[in-house]
Amino acid sequence: MYLLAVLFISSSMSVAAQRDSTAIRNLLDQRDQQIKELLGPKGTEYTPEKRQKLKDIINGVIDYSAMAEHALQETYDTLSSTERQEFIDYFSTIIRDQSLNKLDIYRADVLYNTIRVNGDSARVNTIAILENVRTPVSYDMFFLDESQQWVITDMTIDDVSTADSYRRQFQNIIRKRGYDYLLDTLKKRAAK
């Protein structure tokens, strides 16, 4: 009985430790270090393999399902699970491709202002400093029980929310042209 209690307590402490600000800081620091190592010095040429690795690391902690649900609002609830997955696939392809448009931004030094954890949610406020330009960057994060990992559900850069920006764009298209038109647009963009 004593052994079971010790195992339960140590297991609970391990899960609690994964949900604290230190775990989030370690995750983001590790990601930042991996990106910087792959980037190399300014002017480095990137092979397709290196570009794919960068894309995977940069986007590996983003929860595209949460972003897609936020962007589509009530339309999301009307889609079947297959249609949702199709949308998420195209949506994530576009975001992943865009993440490599300005690689120099990933060379920035990052200062952590605050990391606030509230149960399964967290807000991380940082300042990215690149060539004496200070840019506020915040991350909204969520702890996924099934994978026991933190994921990013939104990034706010210079007070502009990524998820909100997509929501405004997508809702505007859906209102004017409908969901099918939005999906066709995403398919074309993802194919480029």
Side-chain angles (χ1 to χ4, degrees):
M1 179 78 164
Y2 174 76
L3 181 60
L4 286 176
V6 169
L7 288 173
F8 176 75
I9 290 170
S10 75
S11 165
S12 297
M13 288 173 58
S14 173
V15 169
Q18 293 171 347
R19 293 181 190 223
D20 69 6
S21 61
T22 304
I24 294 170
R25 171 83 187 254
N26 290 342
L27 171 73
L28 294 175
D29 279 345
Q30 181 182 20
R31 174 182 177 251
D32 187 48
Q33 183 180 358
Q34 289 174 326
I35 292 168
K36 285 180 173 142
E37 285 173 9
L38 276 171
L39 282 177
K42 200 169 186 168
T44 299
E45 294 292 322
Y46 304 106
T47 63
E49 294 80 19
K50 195 177 252 192
R51 290 180 69 79
Q52 186 60 48
K53 277 186 185 177
L54 280 166
K55 207 185 286 191
D56 291 344
I57 294 168
I58 290 167
N59 297 284
V61 295
I62 296 175
D63 185 343
Y64 294 109
S65 298
M67 286 182 114
E69 185 173 0
H70 181 79
L72 288 178
Q73 298 288 293
E74 58 273 353
T75 302
Y76 190 84
D77 295 331
T78 67
L79 302 177
S80 70
S81 59
T82 303
E83 290 170 323
R84 287 178 185 173
Q85 191 57 54
E86 179 184 34
F87 178 83
I88 292 165
D89 290 345
Y90 290 120
F91 180 56
S92 64
T93 298
I94 290 165
I95 294 175
R96 287 171 56 84
D97 290 345
Q98 287 178 344
S99 69
L100 297 186
N101 286 349
K102 295 181 181 175
L103 285 174
D104 277 344
I105 195 166
Y106 299 108
R107 288 189 169 85
D109 292 321
V110 178
L111 300 177
Y112 289 84
N113 289 337
T114 58
I115 301 175
R116 284 191 292 283
V117 178
N118 184 8
D120 289 341
S121 299
R123 173 81 172 188
V124 181
N125 295 310
T126 71
I127 299 288
I129 304 167
L130 182 64
E131 297 173 358
N132 296 321
V133 175
R134 299 169 67 88
T135 305
V137 180
S138 299
Y139 301 96
D140 289 332
M141 300 184 76
F142 188 79
F143 189 81
L144 295 176
D145 286 324
E146 56 272 7
S147 64
Q148 294 292 295
Q149 291 184 339
W150 286 98
V151 292
I152 295 170
T153 57
D154 191 16
M155 295 162 287
T156 302
I157 303 169
D158 248 349
D159 297 324
V160 178
S161 159
T162 302
D164 286 347
S165 294
Y166 280 113
R167 185 184 69 206
R168 281 189 297 277
Q169 290 174 39
F170 293 171
Q171 291 306 307
N172 190 34
I173 292 170
I174 290 169
R175 263 193 313 279
K176 290 180 179 176
R177 298 275 186 93
Y179 173 75
D180 290 338
Y181 181 84
L182 171 63
L183 186 63
D184 287 342
T185 304
L186 293 181
K187 285 179 185 178
K188 289 173 187 168
R189 284 179 61 187
K192 289 182 180 179

